[in-house]
Protein backbone atom coordinates (compact mmCIF):
# COMPACT_ATOMS: atom_id res chain seq x y z
CA UNK A 1 0.00 0.00 0.00
CA UNK A 2 1.26 3.45 -0.84
CA UNK A 3 1.91 5.89 1.97
CA UNK A 4 0.49 9.31 1.25
CA UNK A 5 1.40 12.65 2.67
CA UNK A 6 -1.74 14.62 3.44
CA UNK A 7 -1.56 18.36 3.02
CA UNK A 8 -1.63 20.57 6.09
CA UNK A 9 -4.14 23.31 5.46
CA UNK A 10 -3.37 25.60 8.35
CA UNK A 11 -1.76 28.88 7.33
CA UNK A 12 1.16 30.35 9.19
CA UNK A 13 0.99 33.93 10.39
CA UNK A 14 3.96 36.28 10.27
CA UNK A 15 4.98 37.53 13.72
CA UNK A 16 6.78 40.84 14.17
CA UNK A 17 8.53 41.62 17.45
CA UNK A 18 6.91 44.50 19.37
CA UNK A 19 8.56 47.85 18.82
CA UNK A 20 10.36 46.80 15.64
CA UNK A 21 9.46 48.54 12.42
CA UNK A 22 9.13 46.46 9.31
CA UNK A 23 9.18 47.89 5.81
CA UNK A 24 5.98 47.24 3.92
CA UNK A 25 6.31 44.62 1.23
CA UNK A 26 4.12 45.22 -1.81
CA UNK A 27 1.31 42.80 -2.40
CA UNK A 28 0.43 41.46 -5.85
CA UNK A 29 -0.66 43.88 -8.57
CA UNK A 30 -0.67 44.03 -12.36
CA UNK A 31 -0.63 47.09 -14.60
CA UNK A 32 -1.16 46.47 -18.28
CA UNK A 33 1.60 48.26 -20.19
CA UNK A 34 1.03 47.19 -23.77
CA UNK A 35 0.11 44.58 -26.34
CA UNK A 36 1.97 43.67 -29.52
CA UNK A 37 0.87 41.53 -32.45
CA UNK A 38 3.05 38.62 -33.51
CA UNK A 39 0.89 37.48 -36.39
CA UNK A 40 -2.47 38.73 -37.65
CA UNK A 41 -3.07 35.38 -39.38
CA UNK A 42 -1.79 32.61 -37.09
CA UNK A 43 -2.97 29.07 -37.72
CA UNK A 44 -6.18 28.21 -35.87
CA UNK A 45 -7.80 24.86 -35.26
CA UNK A 46 -9.04 23.30 -32.03
CA UNK A 47 -7.90 19.79 -31.12
CA UNK A 48 -7.78 18.17 -27.68
CA UNK A 49 -9.61 21.36 -26.55
CA UNK A 50 -6.51 23.44 -27.32
CA UNK A 51 -4.55 25.44 -29.89
CA UNK A 52 -1.14 24.48 -31.22
CA UNK A 53 0.20 28.01 -30.61
CA UNK A 54 -1.07 28.30 -27.04
CA UNK A 55 -0.80 25.05 -25.13
CA UNK A 56 0.19 25.41 -21.53
CA UNK A 57 2.74 22.56 -21.68
CA UNK A 58 4.57 24.56 -24.40
CA UNK A 59 7.44 25.47 -22.10
CA UNK A 60 9.33 28.46 -23.45
CA UNK A 61 7.13 29.18 -26.43
CA UNK A 62 7.94 32.72 -25.26
CA UNK A 63 11.20 33.57 -23.49
CA UNK A 64 13.47 36.47 -22.54
CA UNK A 65 17.26 36.47 -22.62
CA UNK A 66 19.87 39.26 -22.50
CA UNK A 67 17.36 42.08 -23.02
CA UNK A 68 15.50 40.48 -25.94
CA UNK A 69 12.25 38.51 -26.05
CA UNK A 70 11.73 35.54 -28.39
CA UNK A 71 8.53 33.88 -29.61
CA UNK A 72 7.74 30.88 -31.81
CA UNK A 73 4.52 29.84 -33.55
CA UNK A 74 2.91 28.52 -36.74
CA UNK A 75 1.41 31.00 -39.18
CA UNK A 76 -1.59 30.44 -41.48
CA UNK A 77 0.69 28.90 -44.14
CA UNK A 78 1.62 26.22 -41.54
CA UNK A 79 5.21 27.48 -41.51
CA UNK A 80 7.11 27.61 -38.24
CA UNK A 81 8.15 31.16 -37.35
CA UNK A 82 10.58 32.45 -34.73
CA UNK A 83 10.71 36.13 -33.81
CA UNK A 84 12.50 38.50 -31.47
CA UNK A 85 12.17 42.04 -30.18
CA UNK A 86 14.15 44.22 -27.84
CA UNK A 87 12.33 44.47 -24.51
CA UNK A 88 9.94 47.40 -24.68
CA UNK A 89 9.85 47.51 -28.49
CA UNK A 90 6.49 47.49 -30.24
CA UNK A 91 7.53 45.49 -33.28
CA UNK A 92 9.00 42.04 -33.82
CA UNK A 93 11.55 40.80 -36.35
CA UNK A 94 10.58 37.40 -37.78
CA UNK A 95 12.32 34.48 -39.45
CA UNK A 96 10.28 31.85 -41.27
CA UNK A 97 11.83 28.41 -40.84
CA UNK A 98 11.78 25.78 -43.61
CA UNK A 99 9.32 23.56 -41.76
CA UNK A 100 5.54 23.23 -42.01
CA UNK A 101 3.20 21.83 -39.38
CA UNK A 102 2.45 18.28 -40.48
CA UNK A 103 -1.00 17.75 -38.89
CA UNK A 104 -3.84 19.55 -37.13
CA UNK A 105 -2.82 18.38 -33.67
CA UNK A 106 -2.52 20.89 -30.85
CA UNK A 107 0.14 18.75 -29.16
CA UNK A 108 2.61 19.62 -31.94
CA UNK A 109 3.85 22.79 -30.23
CA UNK A 110 7.13 24.64 -30.63
CA UNK A 111 9.37 24.88 -27.57
CA UNK A 112 12.57 26.91 -27.26
CA UNK A 113 15.65 26.77 -25.08
CA UNK A 114 18.93 28.63 -24.61
CA UNK A 115 22.27 26.90 -24.09
CA UNK A 116 24.11 29.59 -22.13
CA UNK A 117 27.36 27.67 -22.49
CA UNK A 118 27.58 28.64 -26.19
CA UNK A 119 24.81 31.22 -26.68
CA UNK A 120 22.64 29.16 -29.03
CA UNK A 121 18.85 29.16 -29.42
CA UNK A 122 17.31 25.68 -29.78
CA UNK A 123 13.83 24.77 -31.04
CA UNK A 124 11.98 21.46 -30.92
CA UNK A 125 8.66 21.23 -32.75
CA UNK A 126 5.84 19.24 -34.32
CA UNK A 127 5.68 15.95 -32.43
CA UNK A 128 3.01 13.82 -30.78
CA UNK A 129 4.04 10.24 -30.08
CA UNK A 130 6.15 10.17 -33.23
CA UNK A 131 9.23 11.89 -34.66
CA UNK A 132 10.26 15.46 -33.87
CA UNK A 133 11.92 18.34 -35.72
CA UNK A 134 14.89 20.20 -34.24
CA UNK A 135 16.90 23.26 -35.22
CA UNK A 136 19.55 25.34 -33.47
CA UNK A 137 21.11 28.70 -34.13
CA UNK A 138 24.73 29.65 -34.62
CA UNK A 139 26.82 29.99 -31.47
CA UNK A 140 26.72 33.37 -29.78
CA UNK A 141 23.41 34.50 -31.28
CA UNK A 142 21.76 34.91 -27.88
CA UNK A 143 24.75 36.67 -26.30
CA UNK A 144 25.07 39.37 -28.96
CA UNK A 145 21.54 40.00 -30.28
CA UNK A 146 22.14 43.67 -30.97
CA UNK A 147 25.01 42.97 -33.36
CA UNK A 148 23.81 39.73 -34.98
CA UNK A 149 21.42 39.95 -37.92
CA UNK A 150 18.08 38.21 -37.42
CA UNK A 151 17.89 36.24 -40.66
CA UNK A 152 17.40 32.62 -41.69
CA UNK A 153 21.18 32.34 -42.08
CA UNK A 154 21.65 32.23 -38.30
CA UNK A 155 19.75 28.92 -38.09
CA UNK A 156 21.01 25.54 -39.17
CA UNK A 157 19.17 22.87 -41.11
CA UNK A 158 15.96 21.31 -39.79
CA UNK A 159 16.84 17.93 -38.30
CA UNK A 160 14.89 14.85 -37.21
CA UNK A 161 17.44 14.10 -34.50
CA UNK A 162 19.50 16.05 -31.99
CA UNK A 163 22.64 16.41 -34.09
CA UNK A 164 22.47 12.68 -34.84
CA UNK A 165 21.00 11.55 -31.50
CA UNK A 166 17.61 10.00 -32.36
CA UNK A 167 16.20 9.49 -28.80
CA UNK A 168 12.89 7.70 -29.59
CA UNK A 169 10.32 7.13 -32.34
CA UNK A 170 7.53 8.06 -29.88
CA UNK A 171 8.42 11.58 -28.74
CA UNK A 172 6.09 14.14 -27.12
CA UNK A 173 6.17 17.20 -24.82
CA UNK A 174 9.61 18.78 -25.36
CA UNK A 175 10.65 21.06 -22.50
CA UNK A 176 14.07 22.73 -22.54
CA UNK A 177 15.69 23.62 -19.20
CA UNK A 178 19.00 25.38 -18.61
CA UNK A 179 21.25 23.90 -15.95
CA UNK A 180 23.03 26.16 -13.43
CA UNK A 181 26.29 25.55 -15.33
CA UNK A 182 24.79 26.75 -18.61
CA UNK A 183 24.21 23.38 -20.26
CA UNK A 184 20.82 22.67 -21.83
CA UNK A 185 18.59 19.74 -20.99
CA UNK A 186 15.59 18.43 -22.89
CA UNK A 187 12.74 16.74 -21.04
CA UNK A 188 10.38 14.60 -23.12
CA UNK A 189 7.99 11.66 -22.99
CA UNK A 190 8.77 8.30 -24.54
CA UNK A 191 5.65 6.33 -25.50
CA UNK A 192 1.99 7.32 -25.54
CA UNK A 193 -0.71 8.67 -23.25
CA UNK A 194 -1.45 6.10 -20.58
CA UNK A 195 1.73 4.14 -21.31
CA UNK A 196 4.78 6.38 -21.39
CA UNK A 197 7.98 7.32 -19.55
CA UNK A 198 9.73 10.62 -18.93
CA UNK A 199 13.32 11.00 -20.10
CA UNK A 200 16.14 13.55 -20.31
CA UNK A 201 18.83 14.47 -22.82
CA UNK A 202 21.67 16.97 -22.26
CA UNK A 203 23.68 19.35 -24.47
CA UNK A 204 27.12 20.44 -23.24
CA UNK A 205 27.99 22.96 -25.93
CA UNK A 206 29.47 20.41 -28.30
CA UNK A 207 27.08 17.46 -28.48
CA UNK A 208 23.86 15.92 -27.15
CA UNK A 209 23.69 12.76 -25.09
CA UNK A 210 20.75 10.77 -23.78
CA UNK A 211 20.62 10.59 -19.98
CA UNK A 212 17.76 8.10 -20.20
CA UNK A 213 14.33 7.47 -18.75
CA UNK A 214 13.46 8.30 -15.14
CA UNK A 215 9.77 7.44 -14.70
CA UNK A 216 8.02 4.10 -15.03
CA UNK A 217 4.83 3.09 -16.83
CA UNK A 218 4.46 -0.22 -14.99
CA UNK A 219 3.04 -1.37 -11.66
CA UNK A 220 -0.51 -1.80 -10.42
CA UNK A 221 -2.72 1.08 -9.32
CA UNK A 222 -6.06 0.21 -7.75
CA UNK A 223 -8.96 2.58 -7.09
CA UNK A 224 -12.33 1.79 -5.54
CA UNK A 225 -13.59 0.93 -9.03
CA UNK A 226 -10.85 -1.17 -10.57
CA UNK A 227 -7.17 -1.57 -11.40
CA UNK A 228 -4.69 -0.46 -14.04
CA UNK A 229 -1.25 -1.85 -14.85
CA UNK A 230 0.00 0.86 -17.25
CA UNK A 231 0.20 4.67 -17.10
CA UNK A 232 2.30 7.73 -17.74
CA UNK A 233 3.52 10.52 -15.49
CA UNK A 234 2.41 13.97 -16.67
CA UNK A 235 4.71 16.77 -15.51
CA UNK A 236 3.44 20.12 -14.28
CA UNK A 237 6.92 21.34 -15.13
CA UNK A 238 10.62 20.69 -14.58
CA UNK A 239 12.62 23.61 -13.20
CA UNK A 240 15.86 24.47 -11.41
CA UNK A 241 15.61 26.71 -8.36
CA UNK A 242 18.08 29.35 -7.18
CA UNK A 243 20.04 26.68 -5.31
CA UNK A 244 20.40 24.32 -8.26
CA UNK A 245 17.78 21.80 -7.17
CA UNK A 246 15.58 20.36 -9.95
CA UNK A 247 11.87 20.16 -9.07
CA UNK A 248 8.93 18.42 -10.71
CA UNK A 249 5.27 18.15 -9.74
CA UNK A 250 3.23 15.55 -11.61
CA UNK A 251 0.01 13.58 -11.96
CA UNK A 252 -0.45 9.98 -13.05
CA UNK A 253 -2.73 9.01 -15.95
CA UNK A 254 -3.89 5.41 -15.98
CA UNK A 255 -4.36 3.46 -19.19
CA UNK A 256 -7.33 1.44 -17.96
CA UNK A 257 -10.58 3.40 -17.65
CA UNK A 258 -11.81 0.83 -15.13
CA UNK A 259 -10.27 2.97 -12.37
CA UNK A 260 -12.92 5.70 -12.98
CA UNK A 261 -16.49 5.98 -11.81
CA UNK A 262 -17.60 7.01 -15.32
CA UNK A 263 -16.20 6.55 -18.81
CA UNK A 264 -16.74 10.26 -19.45
CA UNK A 265 -14.16 11.27 -16.88
CA UNK A 266 -10.36 11.26 -17.09
CA UNK A 267 -8.03 8.77 -15.39
CA UNK A 268 -5.66 11.35 -13.87
CA UNK A 269 -5.09 10.95 -10.13
CA UNK A 270 -2.95 12.37 -7.31
CA UNK A 271 -0.48 15.24 -7.27
CA UNK A 272 3.04 13.96 -6.77
CA UNK A 273 6.41 15.63 -6.30
CA UNK A 274 10.04 14.62 -6.79
CA UNK A 275 13.33 16.49 -6.89
CA UNK A 276 16.92 15.99 -7.99
CA UNK A 277 20.12 17.45 -6.54
CA UNK A 278 22.44 16.05 -9.22
CA UNK A 279 21.07 17.53 -12.45
CA UNK A 280 18.45 14.84 -13.00
CA UNK A 281 20.71 11.82 -12.55
CA UNK A 282 18.82 10.61 -9.47
CA UNK A 283 15.40 11.50 -8.03
CA UNK A 284 14.11 11.73 -4.47
CA UNK A 285 10.69 11.95 -2.86
CA UNK A 286 9.67 14.76 -0.53
CA UNK A 287 11.25 13.01 2.45
CA UNK A 288 14.58 12.77 0.64
CA UNK A 289 14.45 9.04 -0.05
CA UNK A 290 15.99 7.89 -3.33
CA UNK A 291 13.22 6.75 -5.71
CA UNK A 292 14.95 6.61 -9.09
CA UNK A 293 18.24 6.61 -10.96
CA UNK A 294 17.90 8.00 -14.48
CA UNK A 295 18.82 5.61 -17.27
CA UNK A 296 18.43 2.48 -15.15
CA UNK A 297 15.59 0.07 -14.35
CA UNK A 298 15.03 1.89 -11.04
CA UNK A 299 12.62 4.63 -12.15
CA UNK A 300 9.86 6.58 -10.37
CA UNK A 301 6.87 4.24 -10.14
CA UNK A 302 3.28 4.60 -8.98
CA UNK A 303 4.00 2.06 -6.25
CA UNK A 304 6.88 4.10 -4.73
CA UNK A 305 6.23 5.47 -1.26
CA UNK A 306 6.20 9.15 -0.38
CA UNK A 307 5.45 10.58 -3.83
CA UNK A 308 1.95 11.95 -3.27
CA UNK A 309 1.62 15.42 -1.71
CA UNK A 310 -2.08 15.84 -2.50
CA UNK A 311 -4.11 12.64 -2.86
CA UNK A 312 -7.08 12.58 -5.23
CA UNK A 313 -8.85 9.66 -6.88
CA UNK A 314 -9.60 9.56 -10.64
CA UNK A 315 -13.23 10.70 -10.21
CA UNK A 316 -12.69 14.49 -10.10
CA UNK A 317 -11.26 15.32 -13.55
CA UNK A 318 -7.84 16.37 -12.24
CA UNK A 319 -5.96 18.22 -14.99
CA UNK A 320 -2.53 17.09 -16.16
CA UNK A 321 0.42 19.39 -17.02
CA UNK A 322 -0.83 22.42 -15.15
CA UNK A 323 1.95 24.68 -13.78
CA UNK A 324 4.76 25.10 -11.26
CA UNK A 325 7.29 27.72 -10.10
CA UNK A 326 9.96 28.04 -7.40
CA UNK A 327 10.29 31.02 -5.07
CA UNK A 328 13.31 33.07 -4.00
CA UNK A 329 14.16 30.52 -1.29
CA UNK A 330 13.94 27.58 -3.69
CA UNK A 331 10.60 26.35 -2.34
CA UNK A 332 8.28 24.65 -4.86
CA UNK A 333 4.80 25.94 -5.75
CA UNK A 334 2.22 24.48 -8.13
CA UNK A 335 -1.24 25.08 -9.54
CA UNK A 336 -3.54 22.08 -9.83
CA UNK A 337 -7.23 22.01 -10.80
CA UNK A 338 -10.15 19.61 -10.55
CA UNK A 339 -13.84 19.42 -9.60
CA UNK A 340 -14.07 19.59 -5.78
CA UNK A 341 -16.12 16.99 -3.93
CA UNK A 342 -18.74 19.55 -2.90
CA UNK A 343 -19.92 19.43 -6.54
CA UNK A 344 -20.18 15.64 -6.50
CA UNK A 345 -18.00 12.57 -6.18
CA UNK A 346 -18.12 11.48 -9.82
CA UNK A 347 -17.49 13.60 -12.91
CA UNK A 348 -19.20 12.11 -15.96
CA UNK A 349 -18.01 14.56 -18.64
CA UNK A 350 -14.65 16.04 -17.79
CA UNK A 351 -14.90 19.01 -20.18
CA UNK A 352 -18.43 20.01 -19.15
CA UNK A 353 -17.87 19.31 -15.45
CA UNK A 354 -14.57 21.20 -15.26
CA UNK A 355 -16.13 24.12 -17.13
CA UNK A 356 -19.13 24.21 -14.80
CA UNK A 357 -17.49 23.42 -11.46
CA UNK A 358 -13.72 23.22 -11.81
CA UNK A 359 -11.51 25.13 -9.38
CA UNK A 360 -7.77 25.79 -9.23
CA UNK A 361 -5.68 25.25 -6.11
CA UNK A 362 -2.31 26.66 -5.04
CA UNK A 363 -0.11 23.91 -3.58
CA UNK A 364 3.18 24.88 -1.98
CA UNK A 365 5.85 23.80 0.47
CA UNK A 366 6.46 26.36 3.23
CA UNK A 367 9.71 27.18 5.00
CA UNK A 368 9.00 24.67 7.76
CA UNK A 369 8.69 21.87 5.24
CA UNK A 370 4.91 21.57 5.44
CA UNK A 371 2.73 21.26 2.36
CA UNK A 372 -0.16 23.72 2.16
CA UNK A 373 -3.07 24.03 -0.23
CA UNK A 374 -5.39 26.96 -0.91
CA UNK A 375 -8.40 27.05 -3.22
CA UNK A 376 -8.31 30.05 -5.54
CA UNK A 377 -11.81 31.63 -5.49
CA UNK A 378 -12.02 32.13 -9.26
CA UNK A 379 -14.17 29.63 -11.22
CA UNK A 380 -12.31 28.04 -14.13
CA UNK A 381 -15.20 28.48 -16.57
CA UNK A 382 -13.06 26.31 -18.83
CA UNK A 383 -11.72 22.78 -19.10
CA UNK A 384 -8.23 24.15 -19.64
CA UNK A 385 -5.10 24.93 -17.65
CA UNK A 386 -3.88 27.78 -15.43
CA UNK A 387 -0.29 29.10 -15.30
CA UNK A 388 1.68 30.20 -12.23
CA UNK A 389 4.45 32.77 -11.71
CA UNK A 390 5.94 34.47 -8.64
CA UNK A 391 7.30 38.02 -8.54
CA UNK A 392 10.48 39.23 -6.79
CA UNK A 393 8.56 39.54 -3.52
CA UNK A 394 7.28 35.97 -3.91
CA UNK A 395 3.72 37.13 -4.46
CA UNK A 396 1.92 34.53 -6.57
CA UNK A 397 -0.01 35.08 -9.81
CA UNK A 398 -2.33 32.56 -11.46
CA UNK A 399 -3.06 33.25 -15.13
CA UNK A 400 -6.35 31.55 -15.92
CA UNK A 401 -7.80 30.66 -19.31
CA UNK A 402 -8.90 33.73 -21.28
CA UNK A 403 -6.04 35.75 -19.75
CA UNK A 404 -7.65 36.37 -16.37
CA UNK A 405 -5.09 37.02 -13.61
CA UNK A 406 -5.49 36.35 -9.88
CA UNK A 407 -2.91 37.13 -7.21
CA UNK A 408 -2.04 36.32 -3.61
CA UNK A 409 0.54 37.81 -1.26
CA UNK A 410 3.32 35.96 0.46
CA UNK A 411 2.67 38.06 3.58
CA UNK A 412 -0.80 36.55 3.95
CA UNK A 413 0.48 33.01 3.58
CA UNK A 414 -1.16 33.06 0.15
CA UNK A 415 -4.61 33.16 1.75
CA UNK A 416 -5.81 36.36 0.02
CA UNK A 417 -6.24 35.21 -3.58
CA UNK A 418 -8.26 37.75 -5.57
CA UNK A 419 -8.93 38.56 -9.22
CA UNK A 420 -6.60 41.32 -10.44
CA UNK A 421 -7.44 41.39 -14.17
CA UNK A 422 -10.53 39.97 -15.84
CA UNK A 423 -9.14 39.57 -19.36
CA UNK A 424 -11.35 42.31 -20.75
CA UNK A 425 -10.72 43.08 -24.40
CA UNK A 426 -8.28 40.23 -25.07
CA UNK A 427 -10.81 37.90 -26.70
CA UNK A 428 -8.39 35.10 -25.82
CA UNK A 429 -9.25 31.53 -26.85
CA UNK A 430 -8.22 29.86 -23.61
CA UNK A 431 -4.79 28.81 -22.38
CA UNK A 432 -1.87 31.22 -22.55
CA UNK A 433 1.90 30.76 -22.80
CA UNK A 434 3.88 32.53 -20.05
CA UNK A 435 7.35 34.03 -20.44
CA UNK A 436 8.80 32.52 -17.26
CA UNK A 437 12.18 34.16 -17.79
CA UNK A 438 10.90 37.71 -18.24
CA UNK A 439 9.47 37.93 -14.72
CA UNK A 440 13.00 37.72 -13.40
CA UNK A 441 14.54 39.81 -16.19
CA UNK A 442 12.53 43.03 -15.85
CA UNK A 443 9.66 42.41 -13.42
CA UNK A 444 7.09 41.99 -16.19
CA UNK A 445 4.38 39.37 -16.53
CA UNK A 446 4.26 38.68 -20.27
CA UNK A 447 2.15 36.08 -22.01
CA UNK A 448 1.23 34.99 -25.52
CA UNK A 449 -2.40 34.40 -26.43
CA UNK A 450 -4.47 33.85 -29.56
CA UNK A 451 -7.83 35.40 -30.34
CA UNK A 452 -10.93 33.24 -30.61
CA UNK A 453 -11.95 32.16 -34.09
CA UNK A 454 -14.12 29.46 -35.63
CA UNK A 455 -13.34 26.33 -37.59
CA UNK A 456 -9.95 26.79 -39.22
CA UNK A 457 -10.13 30.54 -39.81
CA UNK A 458 -6.75 32.09 -38.85
CA UNK A 459 -6.70 34.61 -36.01
CA UNK A 460 -4.38 37.12 -34.44
CA UNK A 461 -1.61 36.05 -32.06
CA UNK A 462 -0.47 38.59 -29.47
CA UNK A 463 1.86 39.20 -26.54
CA UNK A 464 0.50 41.25 -23.65
CA UNK A 465 2.67 42.75 -20.89
CA UNK A 466 1.85 43.64 -17.29
CA UNK A 467 4.14 45.50 -14.89
CA UNK A 468 4.49 43.80 -11.51
CA UNK A 469 5.28 45.57 -8.19
CA UNK A 470 8.61 47.40 -8.33
Amino acid sequence: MRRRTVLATALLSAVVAPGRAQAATPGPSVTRTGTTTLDSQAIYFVSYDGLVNNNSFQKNGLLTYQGYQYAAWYTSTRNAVVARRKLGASTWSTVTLPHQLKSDDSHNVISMGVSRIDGRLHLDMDSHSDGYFYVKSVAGLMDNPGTTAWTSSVFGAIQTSLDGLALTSQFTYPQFISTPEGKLQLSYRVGISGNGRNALAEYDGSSWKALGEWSSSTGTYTSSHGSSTARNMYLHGIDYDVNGRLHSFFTWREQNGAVMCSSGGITNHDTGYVYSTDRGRTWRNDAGALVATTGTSDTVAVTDAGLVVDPLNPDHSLMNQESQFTDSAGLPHAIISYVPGRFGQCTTDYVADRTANGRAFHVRKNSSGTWQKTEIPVPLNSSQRTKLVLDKYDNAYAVFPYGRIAGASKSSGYSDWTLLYDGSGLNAFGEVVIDEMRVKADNTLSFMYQEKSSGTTPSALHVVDFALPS
Side-chain angles (χ1 to χ4, degrees):
M1 182 180 294
R2 294 175 301 158
R3 297 196 302 270
R4 296 182 171 189
T5 303
V6 180
L7 286 169
T9 57
L11 295 173
L12 299 178
S13 299
V15 178
V16 180
R20 294 183 61 184
Q22 186 178 48
T25 300
S29 66
V30 294
T31 302
R32 186 173 171 180
T33 57
T35 302
T36 57
T37 299
L38 290 168
D39 191 338
S40 62
Q41 294 284 296
I43 195 168
Y44 184 97
F45 58 84
V46 179
S47 79
Y48 298 94
D49 306 312
L51 302 181
V52 72
N53 286 330
N54 279 95
N55 246 322
S56 130
F57 51 75
Q58 184 183 355
K59 188 177 180 69
N60 295 338
L62 184 69
L63 67 82
T64 292
Y65 190 78
Q66 299 285 50
Y68 277 71
Q69 190 173 41
Y70 299 80
W73 70 94
Y74 300 102
T75 194
S76 60
T77 60
R78 309 184 73 85
N79 283 95
V81 176
V82 59
R84 74 176 183 186
R85 66 166 173 169
K86 193 172 184 178
L87 290 183
S90 59
T91 59
W92 295 76
S93 299
T94 62
V95 169
T96 300
L97 298 174
H99 176 76
Q100 290 184 305
L101 179 66
K102 64 189 179 187
S103 62
D104 286 357
D105 186 336
S106 64
H107 288 79
N108 292 23
V109 300
I110 304 173
S111 293
M112 298 185 289
V114 179
S115 52
R116 298 196 312 273
I117 197 167
D118 61 358
R120 294 183 193 267
L121 179 65
H122 303 248
L123 293 88
D124 197 296
M125 50 195 169
D126 205 358
S127 62
H128 185 195
S129 302
D130 54 12
Y132 58 89
F133 298 87
Y134 166 73
V135 65
K136 67 182 181 183
S137 76
V138 296
L141 174 69
M142 305 300 283
D143 297 326
N144 303 290
T147 58
T148 306
W150 188 249
T151 65
S152 58
S153 64
V154 302
F155 291 95
I158 303 293
Q159 305 178 49
T160 54
S161 68
L162 299 179
D163 295 335
L165 180 65
L167 296 181
T168 174
S169 61
Q170 292 184 314
F171 180 100
T172 316
Y173 304 127
Q175 296 190 68
F176 287 108
I177 42 175
S178 296
T179 71
E181 299 81 17
K183 296 179 182 180
L184 186 66
Q185 294 179 322
L186 177 62
S187 167
Y188 59 98
R189 187 186 71 190
V190 178
I192 61 173
S193 176
N195 190 11
R197 291 89 60 202
N198 289 316
L200 287 171
E202 186 173 85
Y203 174 76
D204 64 4
S206 60
S207 63
W208 284 94
K209 69 176 179 180
L211 300 184
E213 298 174 9
W214 62 270
S215 73
S216 172
S217 60
T218 60
T220 300
Y221 168 80
T222 302
S223 73
S224 60
H225 310 292
S227 296
S228 175
T229 57
R231 69 202 47 81
N232 70 275
M233 174 195 284
Y234 274 121
L235 303 183
H236 289 310
I238 183 165
D239 299 281
Y240 284 98
D241 68 21
V242 293
N243 303 311
R245 176 174 289 193
L246 186 59
H247 302 261
S248 190
F249 287 89
F250 63 88
T251 62
W252 294 109
R253 174 174 293 180
E254 298 300 322
Q255 185 182 67
N256 190 353
V259 300
M260 298 186 293
C261 61
S262 168
S263 60
I266 193 167
T267 60
N268 296 342
H269 63 90
D270 296 322
T271 297
Y273 168 78
V274 289
Y275 70 90
S276 173
T277 57
D278 56 7
R279 310 300 186 255
R281 270 64 175 179
T282 61
W283 295 89
R284 298 181 180 273
N285 66 16
D286 181 49
L290 182 67
V291 290
T293 300
T294 300
T296 73
S297 59
D298 182 18
T299 51
V300 182
V302 72
T303 51
D304 286 337
L307 299 179
V308 176
V309 297
D310 187 44
L312 187 71
N313 66 38
D315 296 338
H316 293 274
S317 294
L318 175 68
M319 181 48 66
N320 49 282
Q321 297 162 289
E322 200 104 30
S323 189
Q324 68 174 46
F325 214 81
T326 58
D327 64 25
S328 61
L331 295 171
H333 298 240
I335 295 289
I336 64 172
S337 66
Y338 57 88
V339 178
R342 66 179 181 273
F343 296 109
Q345 296 299 324
C346 179
T347 56
T348 58
D349 182 326
Y350 87 90
V351 172
D353 290 341
R354 282 179 56 84
T355 301
N357 297 312
R359 297 294 186 272
F361 297 82
H362 177 208
V363 177
R364 70 184 182 97
K365 190 173 187 178
N366 65 28
S367 58
S368 66
T370 301
W371 288 97
Q372 299 182 258
K373 175 181 172 182
T374 304
E375 180 175 333
I376 303 174
V378 178
L380 290 183
N381 297 331
S382 169
S383 65
Q384 297 178 290
R385 302 171 181 88
T386 298
K387 299 296 289 183
L388 174 69
V389 297
L390 273 66
D391 67 20
K392 66 181 182 180
Y393 300 106
D394 287 334
N395 298 313
Y397 301 82
V399 186
F400 285 80
Y402 317 121
R404 297 166 295 157
I405 306 171
S409 65
K410 178 184 178 181
S411 61
S412 73
Y414 303 99
S415 64
D416 58 355
W417 281 98
T418 188
L419 190 66
L420 302 174
Y421 178 74
D422 66 3
S424 294
L426 297 184
N427 192 34
F429 167 81
E431 291 179 1
V432 303
V433 173
I434 297 287
D435 187 338
E436 299 174 2
M437 299 166 71
R438 188 166 180 190
V439 177
K440 297 176 182 178
D442 72 347
N443 214 39
T444 298
L445 171 58
S446 187
F447 63 81
M448 181 167 65
Y449 71 94
Q450 190 160 349
E451 291 188 22
K452 296 175 185 175
S453 187
S454 60
T456 57
T457 304
S459 67
L461 184 68
H462 304 286
V463 173
V464 60
D465 301 328
F466 297 86
L468 301 177
S470 59

